[in-house]
Amino acid sequence: MKHWLVKTEPETYGWADLVSKKEDIWDGVRNYQARNFLKDMAEGDLVMVYHSGKHREVVGLAKVSEESFPDPADEEGKGWVAVRLAAENELKRPVTLQEIKGQEELSEMLLLKQSRLSVMPLTANEFDFILQLAEK
């Protein structure tokens, strides 16, 4: 099983939207590297949902419920893909970007190295460490 982080603007589509639908298509990704990460997602993989914008923080956990398929929003047929995510649970408390930046154990995260990516892998250690921070 792999671990992932997806970023979203909560004003456009946030954690609460995914929770209210229980399961939804994660589409609209228009970066080639992020698209390739979507293609690497497998059913059952765990995904952290990160709110970008004003409140930069990891807020919830989802699970990949359907592997990549053609993005229905790809009107030009350029090969973009989407996945289906199912909401699992909200973190006990959000883990902010500032907290993440302050942790030596997380210093190699792609979130810090390539901050513009909207989909990125996490190591199992990074995933577990963020969960531990959420429990504090």
Side-chain angles (χ1 to χ4, degrees):
M1 173 185 2
K2 294 181 182 175
H3 300 88
W4 305 94
L5 183 138
V6 296
K7 292 168 57 178
T8 185
E9 294 277 345
E11 298 81 21
T12 305
Y13 187 97
W15 172 249
D17 297 302
L18 181 58
V19 168
S20 72
K21 293 183 176 190
K22 295 182 176 58
E23 184 178 63
D24 204 3
I25 294 173
W26 203 265
D27 62 357
V29 173
R30 296 298 182 263
N31 171 285
Y32 290 106
Q33 187 176 14
R35 178 205 57 192
N36 292 340
F37 289 143
L38 282 176
K39 286 181 174 183
D40 288 342
M41 289 182 170
E43 188 173 333
D45 284 355
L46 296 176
V47 180
M48 289 188 159
V49 177
Y50 176 90
H51 281 169
S52 56
K54 187 177 179 181
H55 301 285
R56 297 175 181 151
E57 57 194 9
V58 180
V59 294
L61 295 178
K63 189 178 281 189
V64 177
S65 57
E66 185 178 349
E67 295 178 13
S68 70
F69 52 88
D71 184 339
D74 182 8
E75 296 172 0
E76 297 174 13
K78 292 195 173 194
W80 300 111
V81 298
V83 296
R84 186 175 300 277
L85 296 180
E88 289 288 304
N89 57 290
E90 189 168 338
L91 295 185
K92 190 171 185 177
R93 71 169 190 83
V95 177
T96 68
L97 178 59
Q98 285 302 90
E99 285 179 89
I100 291 169
K101 285 181 175 180
Q103 305 298 321
E104 179 64 31
E105 295 88 344
L106 301 176
S107 64
E108 296 300 314
M109 279 183 67
L110 276 181
L111 180 65
L112 304 178
K113 303 275 184 188
Q114 291 181 275
S115 62
R116 296 188 54 84
L117 276 179
S118 60
V119 179
M120 62 195 71
L122 296 173
T123 67
N125 288 340
E126 291 166 345
F127 186 89
D128 291 341
F129 195 85
I130 292 171
L131 287 180
Q132 289 172 10
L133 289 174
E135 291 295 319
K136 291 184 177 180

